[in-house]
Amino acid sequence: MDYSNFISLLLEGNPRAAARLITFVENNFEAAEEIINSIYEYTGNAYILGITGAPGTGKSTFISTLTKRYVDQGKKIGIICVDPTSPLTGGALLGDRIRMKQNFSLNNVFIRSMANRGQLGGLARATEDAIKILDAYGCDIIIIETVGVGQSEVDIFKSAETVVVLLVPGLGDDIQAIKAGIMEITDIFVVNKMDLPGTDKKVAEIEQMLEFRKSYKYESKDFKDKFAKINQWTPEITKVNSKTGENFDKLLGLIENHKSFLEESGVISNYMKNRIKSETIEILKYKLTKKVEKLIHSDEKIEQYIEKAIKKSLDPYSMADLIIKMLGLEK
Ligand SMILES: Nc1nc2c(ncn2[C@@H]2O[C@H](COP(=O)(O)OP(=O)(O)O)[C@@H](O)[C@H]2O)c(=O)[nH]1
Ligand SMILES: [Mg+2]
C-alpha cells in the first residue's frame, strides 16, 4: 500500500491522516516499517509525558486539566491512552475519550486509545510508533496515559521524558504497587484529590518511601543500564485537585524544572540513546523471530537437526546455536 498521501496530509497537520496512520502501524508491522521510515526525519520535537496511577485515581480528569493549561499556552497536544490489560478497548477508556473529545477542539488536541489487540511486535512498539506519528503531526506535548502501575508501564514509558504518577489519599496499597513497579522511573509524584482528607499523610508516606530509596539507589545498576534514568534527579512530590485545577501552577513548574534538568544535565541524550537501543531490540526480536520461524519450518538442514534431536543426539540448545550460525549471527 502507498502511504505517501496520508503522510503528506499528516505533515500538514491533518488529524484524520494521523488517526489512519496510527491504525496502520497498530495493525501491521510492515506498514509501521514503511511509515516510520518516511516520517522519522520529521520527529524529535515533541515532549513526552507519561502519566499513570491506579484506576480511579483521576488520571483522565488530571490529563484534561493539564491539557487545558497547555492549550491555553498555545500548545498542540496528543493524548494516547494505553490499556495493556484489556484485550479490547475498555468501556471506561472509551468513555474517557468521548468526554475528553467533547472538551477540546480537534485542531489542538488529538486523542487516541490503544489496547493490546495482540498486535504484532507488541503494544510498546505500537505506542512508540503512534508517538512518532503524533510528533510528526506537530504535537508539542504528547501525554501517554496508562492504566495501572505495573511492569508494563515501564516498557511503555521508555520513551517518556517525564513520568508522573498519581496517588490518592487513603488507599495504602498504591505505594506498595509503585515500589514493585515503577518507583525507579517516576519523576514526579502527584497526590490527586487534595480536597479529600489524608492528603498530607499520603505526601509523608511518599517522602518516606523515597528516603528508603536513597539508601539503595546506587545499587540498582541493572536498572540504570537499561533506562539510564540517572538518579541525579530527586523525585518531586506535589498535591493537586484535578477537578478545580488547584496547584496546577506548581505542577506545571515541576514538569518544566524536570525538562530543564534533563536538557542541562545532558541526561536527555542518554534517554535518546537508550530509547533507540530498546526500540531496535524490540524490532529485531520481531524480525528475527519471523526469520527463525520460517527457517525452522522450511529448511532441509534443520529437518536433519530435528531428526537428530528426536534420536537424542542433538539437544535444543545446541540446535539453537547451529541456527544462530546458519543466520550468520555467531560472534
Ligand atoms: N474530589 C476529587 N475527585 C476527583 C479529583 N480528580 C478526579 N476526581 C474524580 O475521581 C473519579 C475518577 O476520575 P478519572 O479521571 O475517571 O480517573 P481514572 O480512572 O484514573 O482516569 C471521577 O469521579 C472524578 O471526578 C479531585 O481532584 N478531587
Ligand atoms: Mg481514565
Side-chain angles (χ1 to χ4, degrees):
M1 190 168 157
D2 183 14
Y3 302 102
S4 53
N5 254 336
F6 289 113
I7 290 169
S8 319
L9 287 168
L10 176 83
L11 298 175
E12 288 165 15
N14 180 312
R16 292 175 140 267
R20 288 296 298 277
L21 287 166
I22 292 175
T23 303
F24 292 138
V25 301
E26 200 177 22
N27 294 332
N28 184 314
F29 187 91
E30 284 70 29
E33 195 161 21
E34 225 179 299
I35 292 163
I36 299 305
N37 177 278
S38 306
I39 67 166
Y40 195 65
E41 62 180 301
Y42 304 104
T43 66
N45 302 311
Y47 195 76
I48 300 153
L49 270 176
I51 315 276
T52 192
T57 47
K59 293 177 296 296
S60 303
T61 315
F62 174 84
I63 290 170
S64 283
T65 304
L66 191 65
T67 300
K68 255 184 222 123
R69 298 292 295 254
Y70 284 133
V71 168
D72 288 346
Q73 294 177 8
K75 300 218 160 81
K76 187 166 165 177
I77 309 298
I79 302 171
I80 302 174
C81 310
V82 185
D83 187 353
T85 58
S86 160
L88 288 165
T89 303
L93 217 61
L94 204 63
D96 281 354
R97 208 170 119 200
I98 292 164
R99 254 185 292 145
M100 277 206 235
K101 276 192 174 155
Q102 286 166 345
N103 284 340
F104 299 109
S105 133
L106 196 59
N107 294 326
N108 306 328
V109 181
F110 181 98
I111 303 166
R112 171 71 177 222
S113 43
M114 300 181 84
N116 196 351
R117 302 190 204 116
Q119 302 98 329
L120 307 165
L123 187 58
R125 196 273 308 156
T127 306
E128 287 285 349
D129 291 347
I131 291 170
K132 290 193 184 71
I133 289 169
L134 292 186
D135 190 342
Y137 167 65
C139 287
D140 301 297
I141 298 173
I142 299 170
I143 300 174
I144 313 166
E145 172 185 356
T146 69
V147 173
V149 275
Q151 197 54 41
S152 52
E153 273 71 21
V154 174
D155 281 343
I156 288 160
F157 285 161
K158 270 180 190 158
S159 47
E161 268 111 16
T162 300
V163 174
V164 177
V165 173
L166 257 61
L167 296 102
V168 285
L171 301 168
D173 354 348
D174 47 0
I175 295 220
Q176 293 310 319
I178 286 167
K179 272 192 195 167
I182 56 160
M183 182 170 80
E184 299 283 345
I185 60 162
T186 304
D187 302 302
I188 302 171
F189 290 92
V190 172
V191 179
N192 188 34
K193 311 195 185 184
M194 65 180 279
D195 50 307
L196 301 183
T199 300
D200 292 331
K201 185 165 173 263
K202 185 48 70 77
V203 170
E205 281 168 24
I206 300 166
E207 274 164 359
Q208 215 173 7
M209 170 182 81
L210 293 175
E211 272 307 309
F212 171 69
R213 162 188 158 138
K214 270 181 204 146
S215 60
Y216 72 83
K217 66 182 177 185
Y218 292 108
E219 288 165 28
S220 53
K221 287 204 185 64
D222 267 2
F223 189 86
K224 261 204 220 168
D225 291 344
K226 249 189 191 153
F227 305 106
K229 283 256 181 187
I230 298 165
N231 285 302
Q232 289 160 356
W233 170 260
T234 309
E236 294 280 359
I237 310 169
T238 191
K239 50 185 181 182
V240 300
N241 181 336
S242 295
K243 280 172 106 172
T244 60
E246 190 178 353
N247 252 2
F248 269 70
D249 282 334
K250 176 157 185 227
L251 173 79
L252 285 162
L254 293 179
I255 295 172
E256 205 48 46
N257 287 351
H258 186 244
K259 183 172 186 252
S260 307
F261 158 77
L262 291 179
E263 286 161 2
E264 284 158 20
S265 64
V267 169
I268 202 148
S269 67
N270 250 331
Y271 275 28
M272 282 173 193
K273 274 188 204 162
N274 282 284
R275 187 186 307 167
I276 290 167
K277 279 187 198 170
S278 67
E279 261 188 273
T280 309
I281 289 171
E282 287 309 311
I283 293 165
L284 277 172
K285 272 188 203 162
Y286 176 82
K287 289 200 162 200
L288 288 174
T289 303
K290 279 256 163 177
K291 259 198 196 334
V292 169
E293 277 170 1
K294 202 171 152 206
L295 197 70
I296 281 194
H297 294 302
S298 64
D299 192 271
E300 257 174 51
K301 204 157 184 193
I302 289 183
E303 266 318 303
Q304 291 168 18
Y305 293 157
I306 291 169
E307 289 303 322
K308 279 190 185 173
I310 291 171
K311 290 180 189 128
K312 311 297 176 202
S313 65
L314 182 70
D315 68 279
Y317 286 92
S318 308
M319 187 154 109
D321 280 340
L322 289 168
I323 293 172
I324 286 175
K325 269 202 188 116
M326 284 173 79
L327 290 168
L329 287 174
E330 77 277 39
K331 269 191 211 146

